[in-house]
Amino acid sequence: MVGLNKYWPAMVFPALILVAGIYIFPAIQTLLFSFGRVDVVTFSVSHYVGLDNYVRAFQDPRFLDATLRTLYFGVVTVGMGILISFPIAVLLTHKFVGRSIVRVSVLLPWAVPQVVAGVMWEQMFHAEIGMVNSILRHLGIISRNVIWLGDATLALHVVMLAVVWRIIPFITLFLLAALQTIPHQLYEAADIDGANGWRRFRFITLPLTMPVLIPTALIQFVWTLKVFGEIFVLTGGGPSWGTTTLNYLVYRESFEFFRLDRGSAIAYVLLLLTLFVVLLGALARRFVSVDRTARRQRV
Amino acid sequence: MSSHRLVRRVMTVGKYLAAITVVVVMLFPIYNIFLTSVQRQADVRGRDLNLFPTYIILDHYQEVMRPGHIVPIVEATRNSFILSVSASLLSMALAAMAAYAITRLKFRGKQGILMGLTAVYMLPAILFVIPLFVWVVQLDIVDTFISLIVPYAAFMTPFMIWILKSFFEKVPADLEAAACIDGCCLRKLIFRVLLPLSIPGLVATFIFGFILSWNEFLTPLVFTSADFPILTVALGLYKGTVDIQIGQQAAAAFLALLPVILLTLVFQRMIIGGLLAGSEK
């Protein structure tokens, strides 16, 4: 719109100022906190201590455990999410009666608030009233109730399951969108060549969904780094820090113990981890799209 | 029957079995809290597996909505509703202007702005919540709407700009050009041409904003006290109270879930389109 061109600052800046005010300035403040001692009463930096908060964090086994746990949490959750979503997406490419019911049931968990998801899974895995114990008991798999949330390893996996459930919609939608762009002729040609199901998947479906799958997986990984509500409700980070991810550790340091300086330092480590994954995504994207263009040219 | 037809039959049966499994598994946790919320506590706690209700009672809902209940559901719902509507409207207005300028106007730095917005959207909220909490305390605006509306709006603005941008790209620029040639003034251009054409995009953005704000938990948990109940926070903290009533917890959770479930059911196509548009870049 030529006539409007001169107004662009008035249209763009309000949004940018809001975003900068709530994202950028606080991020700088957090950085300052991470290099100082933050007074618990005034919440201001009393003096700067350089990298001391970072050094302390790296000397703290809780931090190191939380870092490894976060990576495990993210990788396994996203991996499981993809493994479950892929067949659902393939199913949704077929036409059948009730497909829209399947689609909306798969979409619904996306809208569920993390806290509500936490309550749902807490009730599912509740030691006494939980449906999971009840079903396992009736199938004769267990004879006594399992206290799922009382054991650190079990609890961590219950939280992961809750998150898998909530990320399936997003992954499925993106995979479905990718699957729908695959030309039918490719499969028909594969049929003529006598390719079986696995080979069709390996040589047509998988490579052609990769350009969507990789960024989706990385976005989901970044999201699982931020999981908060499920952990808060299901375990509160326990038992004995066993389900505390980096994000949750920042919360506990900052708002349970009010060590804003330590919390800020860990938040920055989490930020670096996030940026690393985002960067990886950007690289993968370039790599994959170049690969695709090359293939198109060959054809 | 030829073997080919047999294979097709088996495939069809398999397809429906798979479809039923998916629906049951995805909906089961939601069904489970609904079930708990309409059953007597004694039956939920019982040793028998009760997958289907033989009766429905609304006692837990009545109890949890009673004034003076430890979970102030009614007040929290009202606050969450006001918050979600205001934050979405604020963000929508700012994002619409920015997205329109980015789609249609010529200026330098567009790509930089878009990339910056995407990057900050990926960052963990806790990074911003720490200093924002300090500022909220120092400005003495704890337990106010404004202390939550502004961060909520800011958090979702990058996403909204992406969605609206994808909608504006679909509106033909020629229409606007034609309006201009006809000597249509700026106000007419905005209210006669732009707004009517962008209504689907604006509705989608509003729905997204509402759901995202409604579901927000970390920010209100840190910024508010018990004097200013927010639905997700009230529900999240219910667990910590003594002698938790499992049926009432389920009822509260279901009430917190109901608005977003209804919105998702009604606007599912819009949501799917928005999700794909908002993050494919």
Side-chain angles (χ1 to χ4, degrees):
Chain A
M1 203 68 346
V2 185
L4 281 173
N5 264 341
K6 59 175 184 277
Y7 295 117
W8 76 264
M11 298 173 77
V12 176
F13 278 117
L16 287 190
I17 290 168
L18 178 71
V19 171
I22 299 297
Y23 282 96
I24 314 286
F25 291 126
I28 296 168
Q29 181 67 64
T30 309
L31 190 65
L32 295 178
F33 280 167
S34 79
F35 292 128
R37 282 277 165 277
V38 176
D39 189 90
V40 191
V41 181
T42 61
F43 292 127
S44 58
V45 178
S46 56
H47 59 283
Y48 285 94
V49 294
L51 289 173
D52 187 59
N53 292 318
Y54 292 89
V55 174
R56 277 167 191 253
F58 276 94
Q59 285 168 344
D60 184 354
R62 279 196 318 234
F63 166 78
L64 298 173
D65 287 350
T67 308
L68 291 176
R69 191 176 296 123
T70 305
L71 294 174
Y72 174 78
F73 189 101
V75 170
V76 176
T77 305
V78 174
M80 287 300 293
I82 292 173
L83 281 180
I84 299 172
S85 302
F86 220 118
I88 301 179
V90 171
L91 176 72
L92 285 172
T93 57
H94 291 92
K95 280 205 163 67
F96 56 89
V97 182
R99 181 169 67 162
S100 56
I101 296 172
V102 178
R103 197 175 44 214
V104 76
S105 335
V106 172
L107 177 65
L108 276 183
W110 169 81
V112 174
Q114 290 194 13
V115 175
V116 176
V119 171
M120 282 177 182
W121 290 96
E122 189 205 5
Q123 294 208 344
M124 290 274 286
F125 280 93
H126 195 285
E128 291 153 47
I129 60 118
M131 204 46 115
V132 175
N133 273 343
S134 195
I135 291 173
L136 290 178
R137 230 174 25 232
H138 275 82
L139 294 176
I141 296 171
I142 54 169
S143 52
R144 315 180 77 195
N145 282 336
V146 180
I147 305 167
W148 297 96
L149 298 173
D151 172 88
T153 312
L154 281 180
L156 182 68
H157 289 84
V158 171
V159 176
M160 287 162 66
L161 181 67
V163 177
V164 168
W165 178 74
R166 209 165 44 76
I167 66 174
I168 284 175
F170 191 89
I171 305 179
T172 307
L173 282 182
F174 275 79
L175 280 175
L176 180 61
L179 289 171
Q180 281 166 344
T181 61
I182 301 179
H184 253 279
Q185 295 91 317
L186 281 178
Y187 289 113
E188 283 155 20
D191 275 341
I192 294 166
D193 291 346
N196 60 23
W198 164 249
R199 292 180 67 85
R200 286 160 49 126
F201 177 77
R202 170 69 187 81
F203 292 104
I204 300 175
T205 314
L206 198 57
L208 287 179
T209 44
M210 267 305 162
V212 169
L213 194 58
I214 292 173
T216 307
L218 290 171
I219 291 172
Q220 287 307 314
F221 185 81
V222 168
W223 279 9
T224 58
L225 294 180
K226 301 192 243 186
V227 167
F228 181 78
E230 278 98 346
I231 300 178
F232 185 92
V233 175
L234 277 161
T235 64
S240 65
W241 299 83
T243 54
T244 300
T245 59
L246 272 183
N247 191 41
Y248 207 80
L249 184 62
V250 178
Y251 171 77
R252 293 184 85 169
E253 285 284 5
S254 307
F255 300 111
E256 275 181 19
F257 305 109
F258 283 96
R259 292 191 288 241
L260 298 190
D261 35 25
R262 295 272 289 275
S264 298
I266 302 169
Y268 258 86
V269 176
L270 179 63
L271 169 79
L272 290 178
L273 186 65
T274 309
L275 287 180
F276 176 72
V277 178
V278 172
L279 197 70
L280 210 65
L283 286 176
R285 197 183 160 78
R286 175 166 298 179
F287 184 72
V288 169
S289 59
V290 166
D291 182 46
R292 224 171 154 198
T293 327
R295 197 179 303 136
R296 210 175 294 141
Q297 278 165 355
R298 233 177 292 141
V299 174
Chain B
M1 197 192 314
S2 74
S3 72
H4 191 69
R5 275 176 64 192
L6 185 69
V7 167
R8 286 188 68 157
R9 283 251 168 115
V10 172
M11 289 273 284
T12 309
V13 171
K15 211 154 65 183
Y16 281 100
L17 280 178
I20 292 166
T21 313
V22 170
V23 172
V24 169
V25 170
M26 293 309 278
L27 296 187
F28 195 77
I30 301 176
Y31 173 70
N32 186 49
I33 59 155
F34 174 72
L35 193 64
T36 309
S37 74
V38 293
Q39 299 283 283
R40 277 181 218 104
Q41 194 130 323
D43 292 323
V44 178
R45 287 207 193 274
R47 301 287 297 178
D48 300 324
L49 181 63
N50 294 316
L51 280 177
F52 304 100
T54 48
Y55 62 89
I56 282 182
I57 54 160
L58 296 176
D59 299 22
H60 299 312
Y61 288 90
Q62 280 171 359
E63 196 58 29
V64 85
M65 285 162 83
R66 182 174 50 82
H69 191 274
I70 195 156
V71 187
I73 281 283
V74 180
E75 206 187 338
T77 306
R78 199 201 62 206
N79 287 344
S80 284
F81 186 80
I82 296 173
L83 260 177
S84 305
V85 171
S86 344
S88 320
L89 286 178
L90 174 62
S91 175
M92 190 176 83
L94 300 185
M97 287 197 296
Y100 182 78
I102 289 171
T103 318
R104 286 281 199 271
L105 305 187
K106 287 199 182 74
F107 60 93
R108 279 159 174 244
K110 267 192 219 177
Q111 283 311 312
I113 291 173
L114 283 174
M115 274 171 64
L117 288 173
T118 315
V120 291
Y121 189 65
M122 304 292 269
L123 301 181
I126 189 96
L127 190 73
F128 320 113
V129 166
I130 296 172
L132 287 174
F133 160 74
V134 170
W135 294 345
V136 164
V137 171
Q138 285 171 349
L139 290 171
D140 202 18
I141 51 168
V142 175
D143 292 344
T144 57
F145 279 111
I146 195 80
S147 72
L148 293 173
I149 290 174
V150 176
Y152 279 21
F155 286 154
M156 59 196 172
T157 296
F159 183 59
M160 293 215 168
I161 291 180
W162 274 115
I163 299 183
L164 282 167
K165 187 173 158 288
S166 78
F167 271 99
F168 289 148
E169 277 163 357
K170 281 183 229 149
V171 177
D174 301 353
L175 266 176
E176 295 160 28
C180 276
I181 292 164
D182 288 350
C184 162
C185 67
L186 190 61
R187 197 189 299 150
K188 269 190 189 162
L189 175 69
I190 291 173
F191 288 102
R192 294 270 171 82
V193 184
L194 292 183
L195 271 182
L197 287 174
S198 7
I199 278 175
L202 294 177
V203 172
T205 324
F206 182 79
I207 303 296
F208 268 105
F210 188 90
I211 294 177
L212 292 176
S213 310
W214 187 266
N215 294 359
E216 192 70 52
F217 177 57
L218 174 64
T219 318
L221 175 71
V222 173
F223 290 8
T224 62
S225 71
D227 296 335
F228 191 70
I230 303 298
L231 196 48
T232 47
V233 178
L235 180 65
L237 294 176
Y238 185 33
K239 184 185 139 79
T241 58
V242 278
D243 187 30
I244 177 165
Q245 302 288 311
I246 218 87
Q248 289 176 29
Q249 186 193 31
F254 196 73
L255 288 173
L257 185 61
L258 203 57
V260 285
I261 288 282
L262 290 178
L263 283 177
T264 311
L265 289 177
V266 173
F267 294 100
Q268 48 166 310
R269 286 194 177 276
M270 223 173 220
I271 288 173
I272 291 174
L275 276 176
L276 292 173
S279 344
E280 72 193 353
K281 306 294 162 5

